[in-house]
Amino acid sequence: MRSDAIKKGVERVPHRALLHATGVSRRDMSKPFIAVATSFNDIIPGHIGMRDLERFIERGIAAGGGVPFFFGIPGICDGVAMGHPGMRYPLALRELIADSVESFVNAHSLDGLVCLTNCDKITPGMLMAAARLDIPTIVVTAGPMLSGRYKGKRLSLVGDAFEVVGKFKRGEIGEADLACFEMESCPGAGACQGLYTANTMACITEAMGMSLPGCATALAVSAKKRRIAEESGEAIVRLVKKNVTSRSIMTRKAFENGIRIDLALGGSTNTVLHLLAIAREANVSLGLKDFDRLSKQTPHITDLLPGGKHFMEDLDYAGGIPAVMKRLKSKIAVCPTASGLSTHQIADRAVVSDENVIRSIDEAYHEEGGIAILHGNLAPRGAVVKQSAVSEAMSVFTGKARVFEREEDAQKAILSGDIKSGMVVVIRYEGPKGGPGMREMLAPTAAIVGMGLADSVALITDGRFSGGTQGCCIGHVSPEAVERGPIAAIKNGDEILIDLPRRKLELKISAKELKSRLKKVKIPAPNVTGGYLLRYSRMVSSADEGAILKPF
């Protein structure tokens, strides 16, 4: 075992003495040592229930014959960080998480790893570490939140907290209703109720085989989630004894399975960034072209929030990810999983309990998957859109640019009524380097919806979007403005063409004019002058590469 490096031989007497000081017995020294990375904290709703799940993981590891060692990993709530400078940190945190897990596990020569995680950047950071370490690993995502309730209507964070701000501004609801939406939209523990980034990443993790069947959709407050946590603790010990490492599960075919499930569900655009980064750590070749190729082959078979009407609880009751895999069995590859079953064995055992929540391929909501990759003179290296959340009226759209140099200015203009039908809101200098940290734009996109402009206004940015975004919102525009990408050359009033069927994003000016404008661009001063974000901005790559940190 790897842990023999800290517990075998006479020269390891001092190491064993320190381990004995923690309560480890002599008998424990012959057992696998299992690291449990937990991102518990008191400020993220998706994480506040982890103390309970830690107990069940610990029980499972002990029952399986292992010794658990818990350690903490930082987390950020994207919703709380949204719409202000704090949103520069979550994507950058992904790298710190990967480095922290690597450091703890390798420094202590531990044999296996359980990642207890949830929410937007924490799960990808854990998976990056798992791929980098290439030791036996299993992931326990802490589960979705129950829907809220108000006046007989089910509520979600995005639709009934973010988007109601715009509705209040235009007088559609009053202060009493606004206060009730604030109190009732998030009733307790769990990741936000729709297919936003947290739950999308949980679904992809399960589809790739890194979580046990049912884990992604099992509600945070359920006994089912507790049982999965305990079973995961037992499973990691089996994986260690059989030496089933993370890279033996996270293969090229597994990544494609994960992408297909994402596309079939209509998941978050952030998954593009994360899967590119995780694949790099796993030494798997993956690029934007793979997402678009698979999207054209994979139908969109669910209608989940934010673009649809169903909640994560509906997906769980309908059979969860195993049931989605059953629908897509002809399209997904046979791959091993942490459960010991193959992907096809999981699909064969699954039951689709609600034909409307998880439709057949023949009755898909859309022929193509949820994500599309656009190119053109505005995005030579690509841009990303959640096409499943775009109305048919906006799938081909030409509008006049209204340019903003930061998110806050765009948000103010939208809520004040300055943005009119037929405009394309452009928010730039918000990319990985320019932000830095590639802020999510949920506040302005939700404001556009709340102001009733979702079918007449588009938004493009070199930043990114929350998984809760809906409407014609195009992000990850590469190269970004701070690298003199074409988005830096847009002027107010320029015509911009968005054509999703043809995968086009075009600024309607000549190549000569575009080149001339880019030469004259004045890059603004950095938004940060010190600390981690300054280091991050100097090392981070473009969005089309996954916004990874490049080696020196």
Side-chain angles (χ1 to χ4, degrees):
M1 292 185 288
R2 274 170 48 102
S3 58
D4 287 348
I6 62 169
K7 62 188 184 184
K8 288 288 181 74
V10 66
E11 65 277 4
R12 294 297 182 251
V13 165
H15 303 68
R16 291 194 295 273
L18 290 167
L19 290 167
H20 290 318
T22 71
V24 172
S25 68
R26 288 188 180 275
R27 185 178 59 181
D28 288 336
M29 290 295 179
S30 63
K31 300 175 182 178
F33 279 10
I34 308 298
V36 185
T38 173
S39 53
F40 165 79
N41 61 59
D42 286 323
I43 200 167
I44 307 179
H47 296 228
I48 59 173
M50 287 183 177
R51 278 287 179 256
D52 188 47
L53 296 178
E54 288 171 8
R55 292 173 53 229
F56 284 86
I57 291 171
E58 185 175 38
R59 279 167 49 168
I61 292 170
V67 182
F69 295 92
F70 285 76
F71 67 105
I73 290 298
I76 291 173
C77 180
D78 284 34
V80 175
M82 196 76 64
H84 59 86
M87 182 41 76
R88 293 179 180 138
Y89 282 94
L91 185 60
L93 179 72
R94 186 188 71 179
E95 316 306 312
L96 290 177
I97 290 169
D99 290 349
S100 297
V101 175
E102 173 204 346
S103 299
F104 184 91
V105 172
N106 277 344
H108 299 107
S109 299
L110 300 175
D111 299 303
L113 172 65
V114 179
C115 298
L116 177 57
T117 175
N118 224 13
C119 297
D120 296 34
K121 315 307 172 297
I122 298 107
T123 299
M126 296 273 205
L127 286 169
M128 288 170 67
R132 187 185 300 173
L133 290 164
D134 193 26
I135 64 171
T137 303
I138 197 164
V139 178
V140 180
T141 48
M145 184 188 296
L146 280 168
S147 58
R149 290 289 193 280
Y150 180 57
K151 293 183 176 179
K153 175 191 173 187
R154 289 197 296 175
L155 305 181
S156 70
L157 169 69
V158 174
D160 302 295
F162 275 97
E163 290 175 7
V164 296
V165 174
K167 293 177 182 178
F168 176 74
K169 289 282 188 180
R170 62 185 240 232
E172 188 177 324
I173 62 171
E175 289 188 5
D177 281 339
L178 185 69
C180 285
F181 281 125
E182 178 182 324
M183 290 302 298
E184 304 299 334
S185 61
C186 295
C192 303
Q193 302 100 326
L195 196 66
Y196 315 137
T197 306
N199 289 321
T200 307
M201 281 306 308
C203 293
I204 289 172
T205 302
E206 182 180 328
M208 289 176 62
M210 292 297 290
S211 291
L212 294 186
C215 184
T217 59
L219 293 167
V221 296
S222 67
K224 178 181 176 182
K225 178 63 72 178
R226 287 177 161 190
R227 290 191 292 269
I228 289 172
E230 183 166 1
E231 290 164 9
S232 297
E234 292 185 65
I236 189 60
V237 180
R238 291 197 301 270
L239 293 172
V240 168
K241 290 178 177 178
K242 294 179 180 179
N243 195 31
V244 179
T245 67
S246 57
R247 289 188 193 174
S248 68
I249 294 173
M250 287 196 281
T251 62
R252 166 76 188 201
K253 288 182 178 180
F255 275 95
E256 292 204 354
N257 285 346
I259 293 170
R260 283 193 187 275
I261 296 299
D262 183 6
L263 295 168
L265 294 172
S268 167
T269 52
N270 281 316
T271 59
V272 177
L273 286 172
H274 300 325
L275 286 173
L276 291 174
I278 298 163
R280 176 179 177 271
E281 298 288 0
N283 288 334
V284 170
S285 176
L286 197 67
L288 290 181
K289 64 181 184 300
D290 295 304
F291 288 84
D292 210 46
R293 171 179 57 84
L294 293 169
S295 185
K296 291 174 181 177
Q297 303 169 3
T298 308
H300 175 220
I301 60 174
T302 67
D303 190 36
L304 294 162
L305 296 171
K309 62 180 180 292
H310 294 132
F311 290 65
M312 286 302 295
E313 61 199 56
D314 300 321
L315 181 60
D316 188 50
Y317 301 146
I321 298 307
V324 179
M325 293 168 67
K326 189 179 193 74
R327 293 295 204 201
L328 296 180
K329 184 181 173 184
S330 63
K331 294 181 178 292
I332 62 173
V334 180
C335 293
T337 74
S339 69
L341 301 171
S342 74
T343 49
H344 277 208
Q345 287 174 321
I346 293 169
D348 287 338
R349 295 183 181 192
V351 175
V352 179
S353 301
D354 191 322
E355 301 282 335
N356 190 42
V357 174
I358 307 173
R359 288 190 174 180
S360 67
I361 288 176
D362 294 336
E363 297 178 329
Y365 287 98
H366 300 100
E367 291 183 4
E368 292 188 356
I371 290 173
I373 307 299
L374 310 184
H375 288 86
N377 68 349
L378 251 183
R381 298 213 305 257
V384 182
V385 61
K386 185 194 283 192
Q387 63 176 347
S388 59
V390 180
S391 68
E392 189 174 344
M394 294 294 289
S395 64
V396 179
F397 178 74
T398 300
K400 300 284 188 181
R402 180 71 187 278
V403 183
F404 300 92
E405 311 299 321
R406 63 178 195 150
E407 176 191 357
E408 289 87 347
D409 295 336
Q411 174 77 344
K412 183 178 179 181
I414 295 164
L415 291 176
S416 66
D418 288 347
I419 301 302
K420 309 295 184 185
S421 294
M423 288 185 175
V424 178
V425 176
V426 178
I427 306 176
R428 62 192 180 195
Y429 296 105
E430 292 283 10
K433 292 178 187 291
M438 207 178 178
R439 289 197 287 177
E440 287 185 353
M441 305 293 166
L442 179 57
T445 60
I448 287 171
V449 174
M451 295 294 285
L453 298 170
D455 289 338
S456 60
V457 168
L459 188 152
I460 69 170
T461 180
D462 53 5
R464 60 194 174 87
F465 299 115
S466 161
T469 291
Q470 59 176 312
C472 190
C473 301
I474 299 164
H476 307 201
V477 173
S478 300
E480 62 177 290
V482 81
E483 292 189 315
R484 294 186 182 273
I487 192 172
I490 302 173
K491 294 182 178 180
N492 285 325
D494 283 346
E495 277 199 344
I496 294 174
L497 168 67
I498 298 165
D499 189 333
L500 302 191
R502 295 198 301 145
R503 305 298 204 255
K504 289 290 185 183
L505 182 60
E506 296 279 350
L507 179 62
K508 305 301 283 186
I509 62 175
S510 68
K512 182 179 179 180
E513 171 67 10
L514 179 56
K515 185 177 180 180
S516 173
R517 287 190 191 183
L518 286 173
K519 284 183 179 179
K520 298 174 184 176
V521 166
K522 293 182 179 179
I523 304 298
N527 287 316
V528 294
T529 57
Y532 172 55
L533 286 179
L534 181 62
R535 299 198 304 275
Y536 177 86
S537 69
R538 290 175 175 175
M539 297 177 66
V540 70
S541 73
S542 178
D544 63 294
E545 297 177 300
I548 57 173
L549 294 187
K550 292 181 176 179
F552 291 109

